[in-house]
Amino acid sequence: MLMYSSLWLNYEKLMISDDVEKRAADILKNVCFVSCDGENRIFKSIKKEIETASEILLGEKSTISFSDKKEQNALSVCLVREDKLGKEGFRIYSDDNAFTIEANDYNGLLYGTFEFIEMLRLGKLTKEVNIIKIPDNPLRMLNHWDNMTGDIERGYSGNSFFFADNKMLINDRTVMYARAVSSVGINAVVINNVNVKGEASYLISKKHYDDVRKLSELFADYGIRLFLSVNYALPLEYGLESADPLDEKVCEWWKSKCVEIYENVPLLGGFLVKADSEGRPGPFSYGRNQADGANMLARAIAPFDGIIIWRCFVYNCKQDWRDEKTDRAKSGYDYFHSLDGKFEENVILQIKNGPMDFQVREPISPLFGGLENTNQMLEVQIAQEYTGQQRHVCFLIPWFKEILAFNTHMKEASVADIVSGRVMGNKNAGMTAVCNTGDDYNWTGHDLAGANLYGFGKLAFDTSLSATDIAANWARLYLSQAIGESSFAKRNGEKIVNTVKEILMKSWPVYEKYNAPLGIGWMVVPGIHYGPDVDGYEYSPWGTYHKADLHAIGRDRTDNGTGYVSQYREENKKMYENVETCPEELLLFFHRLPYNYVLKNGKTVIQHIYDTHFEGADEAVKLLEEWKSLEGLISKDVYERALERFIHQAEHSKEWRDVINSYFFRKTGIKDLQGREIY
Ligand code: GCV
């Protein structure tokens, strides 16, 4: 038995139940490659994918041919020159008795092939099919926080499958990973933790070049570029006295290092850098700014078309909690806004979605809309560090949709417009997710967390997709073995898909309800970030305070307070600074309010806290019940693995409810209007 599941590429023989499926299946039996180079590495993967799909889905081998024109009664996979298909885009269409996949490049053909197979499995390959998809984001990336020792920072699904015992792992699981992530359009992967520790500093050294090259080639077969996180202070480890970005010796060192790296790993995409953050070294140590650091590396790597992805997660994690004026939320903008336009062309600033750190709810970082002349990339986290650590179900795609849709009011552009490169016409832009995988059998700990991995890729490729469709498609593809095999399962297919889709779509709002209220965030156990601890970070140096006393809670971030609101464009500033127009889900992030402040629904803040926490915990129990309704309908192992997590979530959400409600009851002495039990 395999040590890992095939995620959503969980093929099984199709049950052909209607003419649409029959026609598609008949056509797939003949595959004709038009104008393709049989030796191209991605082409070979495309061919393999088609062969695998037809063998498993149809139970027979496709006949493969090469030609210079498309054919009838066949699927033609054609490399073309069509401006309208752009870079990595594809078209799938049907005419007479044929299907055609067209693209300008092999990445496009690969994505078209995966989409075609997915449509076949979803029963969507009708006679009328005619779709063109061009990726919205040039870079669609995953960041793994894997350490070379094999553990994963914020990993909730086992150990690394890239590293163990300070060595790299390259095996059939790595191939499965590349297939799966490229099937949803991922084209770049950082394999190691941004906190570059121990042996990982030497991934760019003779010790590991061979393995890094092998993995980069394996990835390249699936159109993925491999990136590495690097230690900014690496020159010090090689005997230089400084890592000052303006020191000629340092610049020369990095230049010759890059020559050596690319001689050994020619396919490397570039570096990801966490500098001057949470104890990591950076240009600040030498009195230089973030652009000095990023540009020095960018110049060294430019001759090889390499990219420097430089994180904006720079803040003081040693602040005095007594200090009312310092506000961690302001730091990203404070450090980077004045540097707008000062970065090299091959630098991309990677910006977390919010100004704090992947909370269940945060405002959008004001750097989006604040930077007008700088390459930018959105960083989200599907590793559920603050959203239930893959023990609670929390489908994050609806949240990412909100983030992307946010109007920054910089040229009326949304975050999606900016990170796609549409606003500035730049190609170095995109989206990245801190990844949620590990070496567990199901890759993601909670089986339903697989929907976040699938969904992130799909959304990064096509930001217009709806979260509901993503949830439903993932459910159908992942649980297809239950849905497709037998007539019993087929009859129940819709129930399975609808139930799972409903659970996923409810999960983020449910999680938000029993967590820290109204956008204030944190309230988690320090360090592990799991479970409730209202004052856990309150008297710490991390800059994440709710400031609750017996009268009021929240931070005043208006100009009367920390002034954070002024980092937004005028329209957003106005919206947030006025307590009447500030979105209620962010009220306590922007305002300090008395507990008897009345919300739009007529409830006071304190009653809202009590009600949402009772509701959230009750709804978590309902999610468990909904999952239980699938018993006997889906495979036993998926059912039971997830059941154990749903049971835990139902219990643990009560802990959240009671700790938070009791805290505020004790602090304020205000009773719950419904007289429910608060301790
Ligand atoms: C990789 C948070 C996490 C850290 C993480 C950091 C980052 O602080 O808790 O584990 O470090 O973000 O994004 O760099």
Side-chain angles (χ1 to χ4, degrees):
M1 173 169 134
L2 280 177
M3 300 299 289
Y4 49 85
S5 83
S6 317
L7 289 158
W8 50 88
L9 299 183
N10 195 1
Y11 301 161
E12 93 304 334
K13 190 157 188 304
L14 279 182
M15 261 189 38
I16 309 279
S17 63
D18 60 26
D19 288 350
V20 172
E21 286 174 2
K22 184 170 180 330
R23 175 172 174 273
D26 281 345
I27 291 175
L28 186 60
K29 286 176 192 158
N30 273 316
V31 179
C32 166
F33 290 104
V34 181
S35 309
C36 289
D37 167 8
E39 289 309 306
N40 178 283
R41 61 186 336 139
I42 302 179
F43 169 79
K44 289 181 187 166
S45 302
I46 296 170
K47 183 165 164 284
K48 231 187 281 170
E49 288 304 325
I50 289 179
E51 285 167 348
T52 308
S54 63
E55 268 178 54
I56 308 179
L57 296 173
L58 310 180
E60 53 188 291
K61 283 199 159 117
S62 296
T63 315
I64 304 273
S65 60
F66 288 82
S67 167
D68 52 11
K69 58 176 185 356
K70 12 186 259 191
E71 289 188 1
Q72 279 303 306
N73 299 316
L75 164 67
S76 298
V77 180
C78 317
L79 199 60
V80 294
R81 275 166 185 253
E82 284 265 14
D83 284 351
K84 66 176 181 210
L85 298 184
K87 189 163 184 272
E88 300 187 341
F90 61 84
R91 177 177 176 208
I92 298 176
Y93 64 97
S94 168
D95 49 15
D96 301 327
N97 226 11
F99 284 109
T100 307
I101 305 174
E102 288 176 351
N104 284 323
D105 47 45
Y106 288 99
N107 272 57
L109 282 186
L110 179 69
Y111 303 139
T113 301
F114 275 122
E115 185 84 13
F116 181 87
I117 296 167
E118 181 171 305
M119 290 174 82
L120 176 70
R121 296 175 68 206
L122 295 173
K124 291 186 178 168
L125 281 179
T126 62
K127 266 191 174 165
E128 294 72 39
V129 66
N130 187 357
I131 56 165
I132 290 184
K133 284 203 172 210
I134 302 169
D136 283 322
N137 292 289
L139 270 168
R140 305 171 300 279
M141 184 178 238
L142 293 171
N143 288 183
H144 291 265
W145 287 355
D146 294 23
N147 296 317
M148 284 198 75
T149 38
D151 56 313
I152 302 177
E153 182 152 349
R154 312 302 174 190
Y156 310 110
S157 33
N159 289 320
S160 173
F161 47 81
F162 289 127
F163 307 106
D165 303 325
N166 288 324
K167 296 200 179 69
M168 285 182 67
L169 302 174
I170 302 174
N171 51 38
D172 53 359
R173 184 166 194 145
T174 338
V175 178
M176 183 65 231
Y177 168 85
R179 290 183 60 215
V181 301
S182 73
S183 79
V184 290
I186 296 296
N187 65 358
V189 171
V190 185
I191 55 170
N192 65 311
N193 191 356
V194 283
N195 291 328
V196 184
K197 296 182 205 157
E199 188 65 16
S201 281
Y202 304 102
L203 276 169
I204 44 173
S205 80
K206 292 209 165 60
K207 256 172 115 179
H208 297 290
Y209 282 144
D210 280 351
D211 285 337
V212 177
R213 185 184 57 251
K214 275 185 210 142
L215 188 59
S216 71
E217 287 168 355
L218 188 160
F219 279 2
D221 290 347
Y222 281 89
I224 300 166
R225 273 189 299 164
L226 178 113
F227 284 70
L228 294 171
S229 297
V230 294
N231 171 5
Y232 178 80
L234 194 60
L236 302 184
E237 309 208 7
Y238 282 83
L240 267 72
E241 278 166 12
S242 154
D244 180 350
L246 301 191
D247 178 336
E248 241 347 275
K249 279 197 228 110
V250 175
C251 303
E252 283 310 313
W253 186 88
W254 275 109
K255 278 185 189 154
S256 58
K257 189 75 191 165
C258 286
V259 171
E260 179 191 294
I261 294 170
Y262 278 89
E263 268 166 17
N264 288 283
V265 191
L267 298 178
L268 189 75
F271 304 146
L272 171 65
V273 190
K274 172 177 179 178
D276 290 313
S277 168
E278 301 184 332
R280 303 306 304 158
F284 285 167
S285 311
Y286 306 94
R288 313 300 182 194
N289 66 34
Q290 298 295 298
D292 294 330
N295 289 340
M296 181 271 293
L297 289 176
R299 288 182 202 116
I301 209 170
F304 313 98
D305 286 334
I307 293 174
I308 299 300
I309 300 175
W310 190 268
R311 294 176 90 225
C312 294
F313 185 59
V314 180
Y315 71 101
N316 172 12
C317 63
K318 295 198 172 123
Q319 89 171 65
D320 184 348
W321 56 266
R322 300 165 194 86
D323 167 7
E324 281 288 330
K325 276 285 167 200
T326 305
D327 182 0
R328 168 169 164 180
K330 290 169 73 179
S331 55
Y333 187 97
D334 281 347
Y335 288 127
F336 287 92
H337 181 250
S338 58
L339 301 176
D340 189 21
K342 300 206 168 117
F343 291 89
E344 294 284 333
E345 179 46 39
N346 59 333
V347 174
I348 307 179
L349 294 189
Q350 183 166 299
I351 306 167
K352 287 192 183 186
N353 58 269
M356 298 299 270
D357 193 12
F358 302 135
Q359 300 302 291
V360 68
R361 177 78 69 174
E362 280 185 55
I364 308 306
S365 167
L367 279 170
F368 294 118
L371 300 173
E372 292 185 64
N373 294 302
T374 302
N375 296 326
Q376 293 159 67
M377 197 149 149
L378 168 67
E379 177 179 341
V380 294
Q381 192 187 43
I382 54 174
Q384 292 171 232
E385 177 177 356
Y386 296 96
T387 50
Q389 304 200 347
Q390 290 147 243
R391 299 186 75 190
H392 294 228
V393 60
C394 192
F395 181 54
L396 292 161
I397 305 305
W399 175 214
F400 301 163
K401 293 276 302 175
E402 284 189 26
I403 294 163
L404 288 166
F406 179 75
N407 185 350
T408 64
H409 289 293
M410 188 260 283
K411 301 179 186 156
E412 291 312 295
S414 65
V415 172
D417 293 330
I418 294 169
V419 301
S420 61
R422 283 193 291 273
V423 177
M424 286 180 276
N426 52 332
K427 65 175 179 20
N428 285 333
M431 283 173 69
T432 194
V434 178
C435 200
N436 60 356
T437 51
D439 71 354
D440 277 0
Y441 172 79
N442 66 3
W443 301 78
T444 53
H446 201 311
D447 282 69
L448 270 64
N452 282 328
L453 181 58
Y454 170 87
F456 170 76
K458 285 281 175 182
L459 189 66
F461 200 92
D462 179 357
T463 52
S464 73
L465 288 178
S466 84
T468 325
D469 284 349
I470 291 174
N473 288 347
W474 174 81
R476 195 176 293 277
L477 297 167
Y478 185 59
L479 299 167
S480 65
Q481 285 179 335
I483 295 167
E485 291 269 34
S486 64
S487 56
F488 166 77
K490 188 92 183 174
R491 270 202 312 279
N492 287 294
E494 285 319 300
K495 171 172 166 60
I496 299 169
V497 171
N498 283 330
T499 306
V500 174
K501 179 185 77 186
E502 289 291 310
I503 292 175
L504 288 172
M505 290 306 292
K506 285 176 198 159
S507 60
W508 172 52
V510 168
Y511 191 80
E512 184 176 12
K513 280 187 182 175
Y514 56 78
N515 267 260
L518 297 167
I520 190 75
W522 307 94
M523 299 192 177
V524 283
V525 176
I528 61 166
H529 299 168
Y530 193 68
D533 184 347
V534 182
D535 281 342
Y537 274 114
E538 199 53 18
Y539 306 101
S540 81
W542 292 90
T544 55
Y545 316 117
H546 55 68
K547 309 259 176 191
D549 62 19
L550 82 162
H551 305 294
I553 174 173
R555 291 228 55 193
D556 182 355
R557 290 188 159 105
T558 69
D559 287 341
N560 299 324
T562 72
Y564 167 75
V565 275
S566 288
Q567 296 187 336
Y568 288 94
R569 299 252 158 193
E570 200 51 31
E571 294 86 338
N572 286 329
K573 175 184 178 197
K574 278 200 181 119
M575 170 177 73
Y576 289 134
E577 73 186 353
N578 180 345
V579 71
E580 293 295 321
T581 54
C582 178
E584 285 196 332
E585 65 275 12
L586 289 170
L587 217 45
L588 299 180
F589 190 94
F590 285 100
H591 298 277
R592 178 164 185 79
L593 294 171
Y595 294 100
N596 60 6
Y597 177 84
V598 180
L599 302 176
K600 300 215 166 60
N601 62 6
K603 291 183 185 179
T604 58
V605 164
I606 188 77
Q607 193 57 37
H608 168 89
I609 294 176
Y610 295 149
D611 286 352
T612 48
H613 284 77
F614 280 110
E615 275 163 32
D618 288 351
E619 286 167 17
V621 173
K622 289 205 188 96
L623 296 181
L624 165 65
E625 281 159 10
E626 285 177 48
W627 184 253
K628 280 186 174 165
S629 76
L630 297 179
E631 186 173 10
L633 301 184
I634 60 173
S635 76
K636 202 163 177 287
D637 61 330
V638 173
Y639 175 76
E640 284 179 355
R641 265 199 312 267
L643 179 67
E644 178 263 322
R645 295 192 183 229
F646 277 109
I647 292 171
H648 168 76
Q649 178 176 1
E651 273 311 303
H652 198 231
S653 61
K654 288 185 196 144
E655 192 67 10
W656 270 99
R657 174 195 70 193
D658 293 340
V659 170
I660 294 212
N661 282 348
S662 301
Y663 177 94
F664 287 106
F665 175 58
R666 291 177 189 183
K667 197 120 218 161
T668 64
I670 303 173
K671 290 200 175 113
D672 169 35
L673 290 178
Q674 294 193 44
R676 289 162 292 196
E677 200 155 16
I678 297 181
Y679 303 89

